[in-house]
Amino acid sequence: MPSATDRLSQLLIKNKVIDEGQLAAALERQKESGASLGKVLLEMGVVKENQLAEVIARELGLEYVDLLEYKINIQATTSIEESTAQRYTCIPIDFEEGRLVVAMADPTNIYALDDMRLSTGYEVKPVVSAREDIISAIRRYYHLDTDVVEEALEGKEDDEVESISGVVDDTPLVRFTTTMIAEAINRGASDIHIDPRENEVLIRYRIDGVCQEIKRAPKNIHQGIVSRIKIISDLNIAERRVPQDGHFGMVSAGKAIDFRVAILPTVYGEKVVMRILDKSSILLKLEDLGFLPESLEKYRDAFTLPHGALLVTGPTGSGKSTSLYATLNVLNTAEKNITTVEDPVEYRLAGINQVQVNPKAGLTFANALRNILRTSPDILMVGEIRDRETAKTAIEAALTGHLVLSTLHTNDAPSALPRLIEMGVESFLVSSAINCVLAQRLVRKLCQNCKVPYEPDPEVLNNLDFPMNGDEDLILYKANENGCAKCSGTGYKGRIGLYEVMPMSDEIQRLTVKEAAATVIMKKAVEEGLLTMRDDGFIKTKMGLTSIEEVMRVVAV
């Protein structure tokens, strides 16, 4: 079997990259130095890196990519860690038909291909590039850190920084901002926080509901980043004294992503929060949200009724909107006239009339709701019940033949009923109009690749009222402290809902009319079979989906 040196010699001669004399000289020098033939030829200046890469690509039947000419997709580069890129001398450069295109110096390295496939979740399409070009690209796209940006901005005033961020599309500062956004998308972040401090800028991503510090940058790049974001969000870059809201969109790996931008002046400068809205998330089915079969059946029975009100409760960021959108996806048929009133309209839904609240123009939830009722809707979705007028109009709509879906800020399902009464809705109307209340929270899912089994302390479980059901040899799971590549070292990957579904029984209706306290309603609901969010979480802990620590983090004792 010919050696690697022989194969390379034959390829170079065959492709007329070198002649016999140059090969002989190179082989002689190789015997003295012991280096590879390719390295010797490069040192002699007989061949160039790109020539070697082209020959290898032609022989393997792969595409050769000149990275000096190719416009690398920054979103693709954030798919793998810098350490991985350096280890295998490779760099992701684009997406193609759902595959990750990776430029490699050695495309025959099956270990590298398998590693990238597992860590990114993409099928990998290898292409061949010159080793030095790959190393240069890694330095260029992975080293967008503070020293590079400081060097680019050294000695520049604020106005010049704004000019750089707004006009030139390939400055280190623009690449820094673009990479920050692309990395957040690839990590599955829901928000990007840019927080100015006295002497630095803190950049954080909210991943699976928890803020994680990503990097600290020098203070002198702050205004440039903010200006760049303002420009792409169509905001006023000269105004720094008042809050501003904007939005922009982009396509990442074939998916449409919207960004909702909020800018808030603080004592150290403007804080920026970018909410990442993945349009594909609204296509989720209810079955994908984490409902247990019994809870899903109760919820489905409630929203398939022809009229009445269904309330989803929980704090900000608990997934209420996602649940409502998934519900609307089920209800959205050609036979139904569905209208929503939202603030803001985060996702566009085909076949549904969506109204954006505009308080400055006098279009509040209550005003919009009154006018929507004149358009003969079958189903209404009110983004949030915030005041007495909206609450009364929504309840009256539910009593006059409409199915009304809405959200409310309460800690559990029973508390929604007294809350509506406190807002000024008569108790007998509340008891008659409400079909069901769904309370929910989101917990992080354990990384299924690295979760750690353990035997829990029975005393701890007993103190938490954890349902043992006679299982003395119970095995639970917890997060791996060091995590793995799939979960970016956190031990958690993704989120799942904890749900509390409370249908309005005859007894709960009577308690509502009597304006009973939430604790009394909760006690009766549990007697009637209500599965509380905490119990729902404990069941999912037993299933190995999450941990006790996560359940107790989001659910009150």
PDB file of all heavy atoms in Angstrom, residues 424-450:
ATOM      1  N   GLY A 424     -62.955  44.399  39.728  1.00  0.00           N
ATOM      2  CA  GLY A 424     -64.257  45.037  39.566  1.00  0.00           C
ATOM      3  C   GLY A 424     -65.278  44.253  38.781  1.00  0.00           C
ATOM      4  O   GLY A 424     -66.357  44.768  38.459  1.00  0.00           O
ATOM      5  N   VAL A 425     -64.971  42.991  38.459  1.00  0.00           N
ATOM      6  CA  VAL A 425     -65.948  42.152  37.765  1.00  0.00           C
ATOM      7  C   VAL A 425     -66.804  41.430  38.809  1.00  0.00           C
ATOM      8  O   VAL A 425     -66.267  40.864  39.761  1.00  0.00           O
ATOM      9  CB  VAL A 425     -65.256  41.117  36.853  1.00  0.00           C
ATOM     10  CG1 VAL A 425     -66.299  40.309  36.080  1.00  0.00           C
ATOM     11  CG2 VAL A 425     -64.289  41.801  35.902  1.00  0.00           C
ATOM     12  N   GLU A 426     -68.130  41.464  38.634  1.00  0.00           N
ATOM     13  CA  GLU A 426     -69.023  40.830  39.599  1.00  0.00           C
ATOM     14  C   GLU A 426     -68.731  39.336  39.697  1.00  0.00           C
ATOM     15  O   GLU A 426     -68.476  38.672  38.692  1.00  0.00           O
ATOM     16  CB  GLU A 426     -70.489  41.042  39.206  1.00  0.00           C
ATOM     17  CG  GLU A 426     -70.985  42.463  39.393  1.00  0.00           C
ATOM     18  CD  GLU A 426     -70.632  43.364  38.212  1.00  0.00           C
ATOM     19  OE1 GLU A 426     -69.881  42.906  37.309  1.00  0.00           O
ATOM     20  OE2 GLU A 426     -71.082  44.515  38.191  1.00  0.00           O
ATOM     21  N   SER A 427     -68.801  38.812  40.894  1.00  0.00           N
ATOM     22  CA  SER A 427     -68.421  37.423  41.133  1.00  0.00           C
ATOM     23  C   SER A 427     -69.300  36.439  40.367  1.00  0.00           C
ATOM     24  O   SER A 427     -68.815  35.409  39.894  1.00  0.00           O
ATOM     25  CB  SER A 427     -68.477  37.114  42.636  1.00  0.00           C
ATOM     26  OG  SER A 427     -69.787  37.320  43.142  1.00  0.00           O
ATOM     27  N   PHE A 428     -70.588  36.737  40.228  1.00  0.00           N
ATOM     28  CA  PHE A 428     -71.465  35.802  39.525  1.00  0.00           C
ATOM     29  C   PHE A 428     -71.134  35.763  38.028  1.00  0.00           C
ATOM     30  O   PHE A 428     -71.316  34.735  37.365  1.00  0.00           O
ATOM     31  CB  PHE A 428     -72.941  36.151  39.754  1.00  0.00           C
ATOM     32  CG  PHE A 428     -73.399  37.425  39.098  1.00  0.00           C
ATOM     33  CD1 PHE A 428     -73.930  37.416  37.814  1.00  0.00           C
ATOM     34  CD2 PHE A 428     -73.309  38.637  39.779  1.00  0.00           C
ATOM     35  CE1 PHE A 428     -74.368  38.588  37.225  1.00  0.00           C
ATOM     36  CE2 PHE A 428     -73.731  39.820  39.172  1.00  0.00           C
ATOM     37  CZ  PHE A 428     -74.249  39.797  37.885  1.00  0.00           C
ATOM     38  N   LEU A 429     -70.620  36.887  37.480  1.00  0.00           N
ATOM     39  CA  LEU A 429     -70.199  36.898  36.081  1.00  0.00           C
ATOM     40  C   LEU A 429     -68.930  36.065  35.901  1.00  0.00           C
ATOM     41  O   LEU A 429     -68.783  35.326  34.923  1.00  0.00           O
ATOM     42  CB  LEU A 429     -69.955  38.327  35.598  1.00  0.00           C
ATOM     43  CG  LEU A 429     -71.172  39.244  35.513  1.00  0.00           C
ATOM     44  CD1 LEU A 429     -70.751  40.640  35.072  1.00  0.00           C
ATOM     45  CD2 LEU A 429     -72.212  38.677  34.554  1.00  0.00           C
ATOM     46  N   VAL A 430     -67.984  36.200  36.857  1.00  0.00           N
ATOM     47  CA  VAL A 430     -66.753  35.424  36.795  1.00  0.00           C
ATOM     48  C   VAL A 430     -67.062  33.930  36.841  1.00  0.00           C
ATOM     49  O   VAL A 430     -66.546  33.144  36.038  1.00  0.00           O
ATOM     50  CB  VAL A 430     -65.805  35.812  37.949  1.00  0.00           C
ATOM     51  CG1 VAL A 430     -64.580  34.892  37.961  1.00  0.00           C
ATOM     52  CG2 VAL A 430     -65.369  37.260  37.823  1.00  0.00           C
ATOM     53  N   SER A 431     -67.913  33.522  37.754  1.00  0.00           N
ATOM     54  CA  SER A 431     -68.219  32.097  37.913  1.00  0.00           C
ATOM     55  C   SER A 431     -68.911  31.529  36.682  1.00  0.00           C
ATOM     56  O   SER A 431     -68.719  30.365  36.337  1.00  0.00           O
ATOM     57  CB  SER A 431     -69.094  31.873  39.153  1.00  0.00           C
ATOM     58  OG  SER A 431     -70.393  32.425  38.964  1.00  0.00           O
ATOM     59  N   SER A 432     -69.714  32.347  36.003  1.00  0.00           N
ATOM     60  CA  SER A 432     -70.457  31.866  34.830  1.00  0.00           C
ATOM     61  C   SER A 432     -69.609  31.862  33.570  1.00  0.00           C
ATOM     62  O   SER A 432     -69.811  31.025  32.681  1.00  0.00           O
ATOM     63  CB  SER A 432     -71.692  32.752  34.597  1.00  0.00           C
ATOM     64  OG  SER A 432     -72.525  32.763  35.727  1.00  0.00           O
ATOM     65  N   ALA A 433     -68.662  32.803  33.466  1.00  0.00           N
ATOM     66  CA  ALA A 433     -67.932  32.993  32.212  1.00  0.00           C
ATOM     67  C   ALA A 433     -66.702  32.091  32.079  1.00  0.00           C
ATOM     68  O   ALA A 433     -66.360  31.654  30.975  1.00  0.00           O
ATOM     69  CB  ALA A 433     -67.497  34.450  32.079  1.00  0.00           C
ATOM     70  N   ILE A 434     -66.004  31.810  33.199  1.00  0.00           N
ATOM     71  CA  ILE A 434     -64.726  31.091  33.118  1.00  0.00           C
ATOM     72  C   ILE A 434     -64.946  29.597  32.895  1.00  0.00           C
ATOM     73  O   ILE A 434     -65.672  28.951  33.653  1.00  0.00           O
ATOM     74  CB  ILE A 434     -63.886  31.313  34.393  1.00  0.00           C
ATOM     75  CG1 ILE A 434     -63.665  32.796  34.656  1.00  0.00           C
ATOM     76  CG2 ILE A 434     -62.547  30.577  34.279  1.00  0.00           C
ATOM     77  CD1 ILE A 434     -62.871  33.508  33.605  1.00  0.00           C
ATOM     78  N   ASN A 435     -64.322  29.066  31.851  1.00  0.00           N
ATOM     79  CA  ASN A 435     -64.344  27.615  31.612  1.00  0.00           C
ATOM     80  C   ASN A 435     -63.232  26.908  32.362  1.00  0.00           C
ATOM     81  O   ASN A 435     -63.405  25.816  32.895  1.00  0.00           O
ATOM     82  CB  ASN A 435     -64.158  27.310  30.126  1.00  0.00           C
ATOM     83  CG  ASN A 435     -65.322  27.754  29.277  1.00  0.00           C
ATOM     84  OD1 ASN A 435     -66.417  27.962  29.789  1.00  0.00           O
ATOM     85  ND2 ASN A 435     -65.090  27.904  27.987  1.00  0.00           N
ATOM     86  N   CYS A 436     -62.054  27.557  32.367  1.00  0.00           N
ATOM     87  CA  CYS A 436     -60.869  26.886  32.897  1.00  0.00           C
ATOM     88  C   CYS A 436     -59.778  27.917  33.131  1.00  0.00           C
ATOM     89  O   CYS A 436     -59.718  28.944  32.441  1.00  0.00           O
ATOM     90  CB  CYS A 436     -60.394  25.836  31.881  1.00  0.00           C
ATOM     91  SG  CYS A 436     -58.885  24.956  32.323  1.00  0.00           S
ATOM     92  N   VAL A 437     -58.925  27.649  34.120  1.00  0.00           N
ATOM     93  CA  VAL A 437     -57.739  28.481  34.360  1.00  0.00           C
ATOM     94  C   VAL A 437     -56.517  27.572  34.282  1.00  0.00           C
ATOM     95  O   VAL A 437     -56.467  26.522  34.923  1.00  0.00           O
ATOM     96  CB  VAL A 437     -57.789  29.186  35.724  1.00  0.00           C
ATOM     97  CG1 VAL A 437     -56.557  30.077  35.892  1.00  0.00           C
ATOM     98  CG2 VAL A 437     -59.063  30.004  35.878  1.00  0.00           C
ATOM     99  N   LEU A 438     -55.552  28.012  33.476  1.00  0.00           N
ATOM    100  CA  LEU A 438     -54.292  27.274  33.338  1.00  0.00           C
ATOM    101  C   LEU A 438     -53.175  28.133  33.925  1.00  0.00           C
ATOM    102  O   LEU A 438     -52.941  29.251  33.466  1.00  0.00           O
ATOM    103  CB  LEU A 438     -54.003  26.990  31.860  1.00  0.00           C
ATOM    104  CG  LEU A 438     -52.588  26.513  31.499  1.00  0.00           C
ATOM    105  CD1 LEU A 438     -52.351  25.108  32.042  1.00  0.00           C
ATOM    106  CD2 LEU A 438     -52.369  26.530  29.986  1.00  0.00           C
ATOM    107  N   ALA A 439     -52.508  27.625  34.961  1.00  0.00           N
ATOM    108  CA  ALA A 439     -51.327  28.316  35.507  1.00  0.00           C
ATOM    109  C   ALA A 439     -50.087  27.551  35.054  1.00  0.00           C
ATOM    110  O   ALA A 439     -50.117  26.320  34.924  1.00  0.00           O
ATOM    111  CB  ALA A 439     -51.391  28.367  37.021  1.00  0.00           C
ATOM    112  N   GLN A 440     -49.008  28.267  34.810  1.00  0.00           N
ATOM    113  CA  GLN A 440     -47.817  27.571  34.320  1.00  0.00           C
ATOM    114  C   GLN A 440     -46.526  28.276  34.699  1.00  0.00           C
ATOM    115  O   GLN A 440     -46.512  29.472  35.016  1.00  0.00           O
ATOM    116  CB  GLN A 440     -47.897  27.403  32.810  1.00  0.00           C
ATOM    117  CG  GLN A 440     -47.830  28.677  32.005  1.00  0.00           C
ATOM    118  CD  GLN A 440     -47.880  28.396  30.505  1.00  0.00           C
ATOM    119  OE1 GLN A 440     -48.938  28.059  29.960  1.00  0.00           O
ATOM    120  NE2 GLN A 440     -46.739  28.523  29.848  1.00  0.00           N
ATOM    121  N   ARG A 441     -45.456  27.505  34.674  1.00  0.00           N
ATOM    122  CA  ARG A 441     -44.088  27.986  34.820  1.00  0.00           C
ATOM    123  C   ARG A 441     -43.227  27.222  33.833  1.00  0.00           C
ATOM    124  O   ARG A 441     -43.623  26.177  33.328  1.00  0.00           O
ATOM    125  CB  ARG A 441     -43.539  27.735  36.239  1.00  0.00           C
ATOM    126  CG  ARG A 441     -44.266  28.419  37.356  1.00  0.00           C
ATOM    127  CD  ARG A 441     -44.032  29.924  37.379  1.00  0.00           C
ATOM    128  NE  ARG A 441     -44.583  30.488  38.597  1.00  0.00           N
ATOM    129  CZ  ARG A 441     -45.862  30.770  38.781  1.00  0.00           C
ATOM    130  NH1 ARG A 441     -46.735  30.512  37.822  1.00  0.00           N
ATOM    131  NH2 ARG A 441     -46.287  31.279  39.908  1.00  0.00           N
ATOM    132  N   LEU A 442     -42.035  27.727  33.588  1.00  0.00           N
ATOM    133  CA  LEU A 442     -41.074  27.018  32.744  1.00  0.00           C
ATOM    134  C   LEU A 442     -39.871  26.621  33.586  1.00  0.00           C
ATOM    135  O   LEU A 442     -39.333  27.438  34.334  1.00  0.00           O
ATOM    136  CB  LEU A 442     -40.615  27.894  31.580  1.00  0.00           C
ATOM    137  CG  LEU A 442     -41.657  28.199  30.501  1.00  0.00           C
ATOM    138  CD1 LEU A 442     -41.080  29.158  29.470  1.00  0.00           C
ATOM    139  CD2 LEU A 442     -42.144  26.932  29.819  1.00  0.00           C
ATOM    140  N   VAL A 443     -39.469  25.367  33.478  1.00  0.00           N
ATOM    141  CA  VAL A 443     -38.250  24.903  34.150  1.00  0.00           C
ATOM    142  C   VAL A 443     -37.271  24.407  33.093  1.00  0.00           C
ATOM    143  O   VAL A 443     -37.667  24.003  31.994  1.00  0.00           O
ATOM    144  CB  VAL A 443     -38.526  23.767  35.158  1.00  0.00           C
ATOM    145  CG1 VAL A 443     -39.335  24.262  36.326  1.00  0.00           C
ATOM    146  CG2 VAL A 443     -39.213  22.585  34.480  1.00  0.00           C
ATOM    147  N   ARG A 444     -36.001  24.444  33.441  1.00  0.00           N
ATOM    148  CA  ARG A 444     -34.990  23.934  32.522  1.00  0.00           C
ATOM    149  C   ARG A 444     -35.001  22.407  32.509  1.00  0.00           C
ATOM    150  O   ARG A 444     -35.157  21.770  33.548  1.00  0.00           O
ATOM    151  CB  ARG A 444     -33.603  24.439  32.928  1.00  0.00           C
ATOM    152  CG  ARG A 444     -33.421  25.934  32.755  1.00  0.00           C
ATOM    153  CD  ARG A 444     -32.020  26.381  33.152  1.00  0.00           C
ATOM    154  NE  ARG A 444     -31.785  26.230  34.580  1.00  0.00           N
ATOM    155  CZ  ARG A 444     -30.616  26.418  35.165  1.00  0.00           C
ATOM    156  NH1 ARG A 444     -29.558  26.753  34.439  1.00  0.00           N
ATOM    157  NH2 ARG A 444     -30.486  26.270  36.468  1.00  0.00           N
ATOM    158  N   LYS A 445     -34.829  21.842  31.325  1.00  0.00           N
ATOM    159  CA  LYS A 445     -34.739  20.391  31.187  1.00  0.00           C
ATOM    160  C   LYS A 445     -33.303  19.947  31.418  1.00  0.00           C
ATOM    161  O   LYS A 445     -32.362  20.601  30.980  1.00  0.00           O
ATOM    162  CB  LYS A 445     -35.195  19.965  29.781  1.00  0.00           C
ATOM    163  CG  LYS A 445     -36.666  20.178  29.506  1.00  0.00           C
ATOM    164  CD  LYS A 445     -37.008  19.900  28.056  1.00  0.00           C
ATOM    165  CE  LYS A 445     -36.791  18.462  27.678  1.00  0.00           C
ATOM    166  NZ  LYS A 445     -37.203  18.200  26.267  1.00  0.00           N
ATOM    167  N   LEU A 446     -33.151  18.831  32.100  1.00  0.00           N
ATOM    168  CA  LEU A 446     -31.819  18.261  32.267  1.00  0.00           C
ATOM    169  C   LEU A 446     -31.258  17.857  30.911  1.00  0.00           C
ATOM    170  O   LEU A 446     -31.982  17.378  30.039  1.00  0.00           O
ATOM    171  CB  LEU A 446     -31.889  17.026  33.169  1.00  0.00           C
ATOM    172  CG  LEU A 446     -32.141  17.277  34.653  1.00  0.00           C
ATOM    173  CD1 LEU A 446     -32.465  15.961  35.350  1.00  0.00           C
ATOM    174  CD2 LEU A 446     -30.943  17.935  35.310  1.00  0.00           C
ATOM    175  N   CYS A 447     -29.987  18.081  30.731  1.00  0.00           N
ATOM    176  CA  CYS A 447     -29.329  17.636  29.507  1.00  0.00           C
ATOM    177  C   CYS A 447     -29.358  16.108  29.487  1.00  0.00           C
ATOM    178  O   CYS A 447     -28.813  15.459  30.390  1.00  0.00           O
ATOM    179  CB  CYS A 447     -27.882  18.136  29.455  1.00  0.00           C
ATOM    180  SG  CYS A 447     -26.946  17.500  28.046  1.00  0.00           S
ATOM    181  N   GLN A 448     -30.006  15.550  28.480  1.00  0.00           N
ATOM    182  CA  GLN A 448     -30.156  14.099  28.426  1.00  0.00           C
ATOM    183  C   GLN A 448     -28.848  13.396  28.108  1.00  0.00           C
ATOM    184  O   GLN A 448     -28.747  12.171  28.241  1.00  0.00           O
ATOM    185  CB  GLN A 448     -31.226  13.732  27.388  1.00  0.00           C
ATOM    186  CG  GLN A 448     -32.605  14.309  27.686  1.00  0.00           C
ATOM    187  CD  GLN A 448     -33.148  13.881  29.046  1.00  0.00           C
ATOM    188  OE1 GLN A 448     -33.312  12.690  29.313  1.00  0.00           O
ATOM    189  NE2 GLN A 448     -33.419  14.843  29.917  1.00  0.00           N
ATOM    190  N   ASN A 449     -27.842  14.168  27.722  1.00  0.00           N
ATOM    191  CA  ASN A 449     -26.544  13.571  27.381  1.00  0.00           C
ATOM    192  C   ASN A 449     -25.640  13.397  28.601  1.00  0.00           C
ATOM    193  O   ASN A 449     -24.802  12.499  28.624  1.00  0.00           O
ATOM    194  CB  ASN A 449     -25.836  14.437  26.336  1.00  0.00           C
ATOM    195  CG  ASN A 449     -24.569  13.811  25.801  1.00  0.00           C
ATOM    196  OD1 ASN A 449     -24.585  12.695  25.281  1.00  0.00           O
ATOM    197  ND2 ASN A 449     -23.454  14.514  25.941  1.00  0.00           N
ATOM    198  N   CYS A 450     -25.832  14.278  29.619  1.00  0.00           N
ATOM    199  CA  CYS A 450     -24.871  14.230  30.735  1.00  0.00           C
ATOM    200  C   CYS A 450     -25.524  14.262  32.115  1.00  0.00           C
ATOM    201  O   CYS A 450     -24.823  14.440  33.111  1.00  0.00           O
ATOM    202  CB  CYS A 450     -23.874  15.387  30.609  1.00  0.00           C
ATOM    203  SG  CYS A 450     -24.580  17.039  30.871  1.00  0.00           S
TER     204      CYS A 450
END
